Amino acid sequence: MPSKGTPSAEELEGESTMLPMGKYFASSDKAVRDKAVEGLKQFLVARGDDLLDDKELTKLWKGLFFCFWHSDKPLVQQALATDLAELLLKIPSAPASLHFLKGFWDMILREWTKIDVHRIDKFYMLIRRFVNAAFRLQLRENWDDDCCEAYEYILTRPNGPLDPDDPKHITSLAYHLADVYLEELEKALDSSESTCPVPILDVIHPFLAFAARTPVKASVPRLQDAIFQPLTSALAQAASEEPPTKRARLATGTPSPAFSTTIARSTLDHSRHYKSKASTSTTALDSAPSEPQEIRKAILKAILDIGGQPETREHNRKKLFAFWKAATAEGQSDQTEWDAS
């Protein structure tokens, strides 16, 4: 006989067509929670393009929040975080996957202040898993414009995790997102069989927009340290490497430069936000990877351009211009050394 609170076979029989009950996700019994998550996977796959309404989505993620809340052992937490994030890739429809992802971020923003210090790290891990899965979803869709635009909207919409105009904005979420963003992009590219080039300017655009308008003065230096500086430095290193040095590095087993896969796969040929007169590509799929030095120049130009926009806050403008000036001078110095060698 099933223990108290354990779903019976009859209750679970129709899980592929009915949304699993929230009480099973919130159960203190791991076996019950595991069955509920498996039932949810079958349910979401069976629905295909049919989106949950907002009320159903809120109830679902409320249950999943407590499902993850009750996972106490590190290995259990890691496995559950992976299973929940993988649901994005199990759903066959990109719009349905993105709708599910929106529900995740709505839940995180809604419940964030209730998470105590003892549980915060595991929720940071859960966010990292979903950032990675979101990149793999865009890879699966070959960086389709509609998919990328919808993902950007999820992050930057009013009351979203990267909404700079929200007076109640949770800066710790924006900072954590920035901290893991490039790392998880690199991991997603390394694990994917897709060879579609990455529209890198579009990928980092949410942070450029956030850096321009955020009222928190500490945010721009934080984003520079997490996104702009590591990426432009890695691009400068990649641009200055001689092929023999690279072969020697591979032969001796020396680690590759930071974000090497991201750099090798990035393109300027196609972008929704930054149009190039030289580009003839209509999609990321028919684009070609760009040279690291050209990518670096384009990123710095984007920083300069967004710093000069009228809606950019003055204290952010000064920091963005200062970063552009220092990075440009650094790039010119590197180029001089390269030409002299």
Side-chain angles (χ1 to χ4, degrees):
M1 174 180 290
S3 61
K4 186 177 180 181
T6 302
S8 66
E10 290 78 10
E11 287 175 305
L12 291 172
E13 185 177 4
E15 282 179 343
S16 64
T17 56
M18 295 179 61
L19 182 64
M21 294 177 67
K23 67 179 182 181
Y24 296 145
F25 293 122
S27 172
S28 59
D29 186 335
K30 178 180 179 299
V32 174
R33 298 197 305 271
D34 288 348
K35 286 183 179 179
V37 172
E38 179 60 29
L40 175 61
K41 180 176 73 174
Q42 297 173 18
F43 168 78
L44 293 173
V45 171
R47 284 183 74 96
D49 293 334
D50 188 14
L51 305 184
L52 293 169
D53 65 37
D54 289 343
K55 185 177 180 180
E56 286 180 311
L57 191 65
T58 299
K59 288 174 62 178
L60 170 60
W61 272 110
K62 184 76 172 180
L64 290 175
F65 171 77
F66 285 108
C67 182
F68 196 67
W69 178 281
H70 285 301
S71 61
D72 291 330
K73 296 179 181 179
L75 291 179
V76 172
Q77 295 167 8
Q78 293 170 25
L80 181 56
T82 298
D83 288 344
L84 292 178
E86 287 298 313
L87 290 172
L88 284 181
L89 283 304
K90 299 297 183 184
I91 300 171
S93 159
S97 293
L98 290 162
H99 188 61
F100 184 71
L101 179 61
K102 176 181 175 295
F104 163 75
W105 278 112
D106 286 344
M107 176 274 291
I108 289 291
L109 291 160
R110 185 173 56 247
E111 307 291 348
W112 191 253
T113 57
K114 302 174 187 176
I115 302 173
D116 57 66
V117 67
H118 303 293
R119 291 181 170 88
I120 194 68
D121 284 345
K122 73 177 183 180
F123 278 93
Y124 277 141
M125 176 187 63
L126 180 64
I127 291 170
R128 181 184 282 270
R129 294 288 194 276
F130 268 87
V131 170
N132 181 279
F135 280 133
R136 286 186 288 130
L137 173 64
Q138 291 171 94
L139 275 162
R140 187 187 77 181
E141 302 299 316
N142 291 317
W143 300 99
D144 174 73
D145 282 357
D146 290 341
C147 180
C148 294
E149 185 174 3
Y151 179 55
E152 182 178 315
Y153 176 76
I154 289 171
L155 297 181
T156 61
R157 65 200 158 102
N159 302 316
L162 290 178
D163 173 20
D165 300 317
D166 181 4
K168 298 179 180 179
H169 187 267
I170 305 170
T171 55
S172 59
L173 276 179
Y175 294 166
H176 180 64
L177 189 53
D179 287 342
V180 305
Y181 201 72
L182 293 179
E183 291 179 10
E184 295 308 316
L185 173 60
E186 182 79 2
K187 291 177 186 177
L189 291 170
D190 283 338
S191 66
S192 174
E193 295 180 359
S194 171
T195 58
C196 182
V198 183
I200 189 66
L201 290 174
D202 290 344
V203 169
I204 67 170
H205 179 76
F207 292 98
L208 290 168
F210 185 82
R213 303 203 311 272
T214 175
V216 181
K217 293 184 178 180
S219 291
V220 173
R222 192 71 161 71
L223 296 183
Q224 288 174 356
D225 290 344
I227 300 286
F228 308 146
Q229 183 64 53
L231 186 54
T232 54
S233 294
L235 285 161
Q237 180 184 354
S240 64
E241 280 190 340
E242 294 182 84
T245 304
K246 184 175 182 180
R247 288 199 296 269
R249 185 184 67 245
L250 294 174
T252 57
T254 305
S256 299
F259 314 124
S260 57
T261 306
T262 301
I263 292 170
R265 297 267 296 277
S266 289
T267 184
L268 301 174
D269 282 352
H270 181 72
S271 171
R272 292 178 295 109
H273 292 289
Y274 305 93
K275 304 300 182 183
S276 169
K277 294 179 180 179
S279 175
T280 59
S281 302
T282 56
T283 67
L285 189 58
D286 62 6
S287 302
S290 303
E291 292 297 323
Q293 186 65 19
E294 295 306 311
I295 298 170
R296 188 175 188 274
K297 288 179 181 177
I299 290 174
L300 291 177
K301 185 178 185 304
I303 291 172
L304 179 65
D305 289 347
I306 205 159
Q309 291 181 353
E311 60 268 27
T312 298
R313 294 178 184 268
E314 191 59 33
H315 57 81
N316 297 335
R317 189 190 320 279
K318 292 178 180 178
K319 292 184 175 70
L320 290 169
F321 283 169
F323 177 83
W324 171 84
K325 184 177 180 180
T328 301
E330 178 187 348
Q332 290 172 345
S333 174
D334 292 343
Q335 186 62 43
T336 301
E337 293 176 7
W338 171 253
D339 290 342
S341 63

